[in-house]
Amino acid sequence: MAGSLAGEGAAVVDGRRGGPLIVTEDVELLDDLLRLCAAAGAEPEVHHGPPGRRGSWERAPMVLVGDDAAARCRGVGRRKGVMLVGRDQDDPDVWRRAVEIGAEYVLRLPDSEGWLVDQIANAAEGVGRPALTIGVMGGRGGSGASTLACALAVSAARSGRRTMLIDADPLGGGIDVLLGGERAEGLRWPDFAQSKGRLGGGALEDSLPALHGLRVLSWGRDDEVVIPPQAMRAVLAAARRLGGVVVVDLPRRVDEGVAEALAQLDLGLLVVPGELRAVAAAKRVASTAGMVLDDLRVVPRGPYASGLDGSWVARAIGLPLVGELPWESGLLDSQDDGTPPGGDARSSLARFCAAFWDQVAAAGDTSPATGPPGGGTA
């Protein structure tokens, strides 16, 4: 996942950080960088050399130094988020100049344009560590995957985490129903079906229904049953940039849109009832999902058939065991009373989810950052 290169001391105006500082006298390069800033929705500050105004170099969320201006930037205070930008793919001295100005990255245009647009937008939005993204799938129909997804999201929000719940199963009836929010105001998946480019994380969050302390992207009540992969990519990327936690309720079938979601997960949970047929079905689901998702784990659910237990289910499927999902006989009655899955902190389901988040927090988030195409680190 691409990491943020925003400077730590960047100023914030109206909930957004300022745009990047551009230092160049190259008119053509400046035109390119202004175009990329416009695509990212950021307004840059432009100088021909290091800015004379005190603090401007330090406060900008990132600094883009043109090849032509590198010599003029020698001796300026070292900081994070400095990039040396140019067009000459074969310049042998570019790395020396990058070291002299303390640049973290060397970018060659046009190869690095897409990556740079994302970094500029991230810096303008003040993006930090991406959200921990958890996907939940059922080993068979009716396994309780949507219930677990809801409970995980509700539990995360109750603990103070910034949380978004995304319903990626168009045939599931709408996860907002489980939360009692089918009539809540806000956008649903059909409103994002044509999304292809970058979505602003803050704009996405503000547009969605707010339920039980979290934001929810669910389905409308029309016949739309497909999420195009480009829409899934745009929505999940925007959600991840907000930080915190993203929980995705996934269907068992893997189409292009679901494959895109699987590719953005940090961890997948496969909910499997303790029955032989469910285990057999779950093995097929795991095989398909495992073609895209590297880290998939089993959450067995009782009651178990004779001779089975959670450890046996995990061994039979050949995946790590997270823990056994508790069975709650009064769950439907609680929902009728307006309490969502996991909404009662004293319930066994809520305690299971709290223990899961504690386990995740103890393990830490080690998602790697990726560098730009057509460039590299200095």
Side-chain angles (χ1 to χ4, degrees), residues 117-140:
V117 167
D118 281 342
Q119 293 304 313
I120 293 171
N122 285 349
E125 287 187 338
V127 174
R129 182 184 292 242
L132 177 65
T133 306
I134 307 293
V136 186
M137 306 179 74
R140 66 153 170 79

Side-chain angles (χ1 to χ4, degrees), residues 7-314:
E8 294 179 356
V12 179
V13 179
D14 294 334
R16 287 178 60 88
R17 299 191 180 196
L21 173 66
I22 298 175
V23 183
T24 184
E25 284 186 308
D26 184 329
V27 176
E28 292 184 3
L29 178 61
L30 178 58
D31 284 345
D32 284 340
L33 294 178
L34 291 176
R35 171 175 54 83
L36 298 180
C37 286
E43 296 184 9
E45 180 180 340
V46 180
H47 290 267
H48 297 314
R53 180 155 51 89
R54 181 177 177 83
S56 185
W57 175 276
E58 292 80 9
R59 286 199 306 269
M62 63 192 302
V63 180
L64 306 177
V65 178
D67 272 348
D68 64 293
R72 298 192 293 279
C73 292
R74 290 176 189 157
V76 180
R78 297 298 176 106
R79 54 151 293 169
K80 293 182 178 181
V82 176
M83 305 184 193
L84 184 63
V85 189
R87 292 192 192 81
D88 188 349
Q89 304 286 344
D90 302 315
D91 183 354
D93 295 325
V94 65
W95 302 105
R96 173 184 56 80
R97 295 196 298 275
V99 171
E100 288 175 347
I101 66 172
E104 289 187 86
Y105 285 87
V106 173
L107 309 182
R108 305 287 90 180
L109 303 183
D111 293 352
S112 301
E113 286 192 356
W115 185 86
L116 183 53
V117 167
D118 281 342
Q119 293 304 313
I120 293 171
N122 285 349
E125 287 187 338
V127 174
R129 182 184 292 242
L132 177 65
T133 306
I134 307 293
V136 186
M137 306 179 74
R140 66 153 170 79
S143 63
S146 295
T147 297
L148 176 58
C150 277
L152 285 171
V154 169
S155 177
R158 183 169 52 241
S159 69
R161 294 174 172 90
R162 189 175 196 168
T163 306
M164 186 175 295
L165 175 61
I166 296 178
D167 183 0
D169 184 359
L171 302 181
I175 207 163
D176 53 352
V177 176
L178 276 177
L179 294 167
E182 59 269 27
R183 293 185 177 85
E185 293 186 3
L187 300 184
R188 264 70 173 180
W189 261 119
D191 299 300
F192 297 98
Q194 303 307 314
S195 299
K196 295 181 180 179
R198 179 189 174 94
L199 289 175
L204 172 66
E205 183 179 45
D206 291 343
S207 72
L208 299 179
L211 301 168
H212 305 285
L214 58 132
R215 296 287 178 161
V216 182
L217 176 55
S218 188
W219 288 87
R221 302 296 174 253
D222 52 23
D223 295 330
E224 188 81 35
V225 294
V226 176
I227 306 173
Q230 60 269 24
M232 180 68 77
R233 183 182 310 118
V235 166
L236 275 179
R240 285 180 58 84
R241 285 195 301 272
L242 292 170
V245 167
V246 175
V247 180
V248 187
D249 183 31
L250 294 161
R252 288 180 295 134
R253 61 180 181 86
V254 178
D255 58 17
E256 290 184 343
V258 174
E260 182 62 45
L262 289 169
Q264 295 206 41
L265 297 181
D266 295 306
L267 171 64
L269 303 179
L270 183 64
V271 183
V272 185
E275 308 162 0
L276 287 175
R277 288 187 63 191
V279 171
K283 290 185 71 171
R284 291 192 291 270
V285 174
S287 177
T288 303
M291 296 174 66
V292 183
L293 177 60
D294 292 332
D295 193 349
L296 182 63
R297 308 180 194 181
V298 173
V299 181
R301 193 208 76 192
Y304 295 97
S306 177
L308 305 188
D309 60 19
S311 297
W312 185 93
V313 170

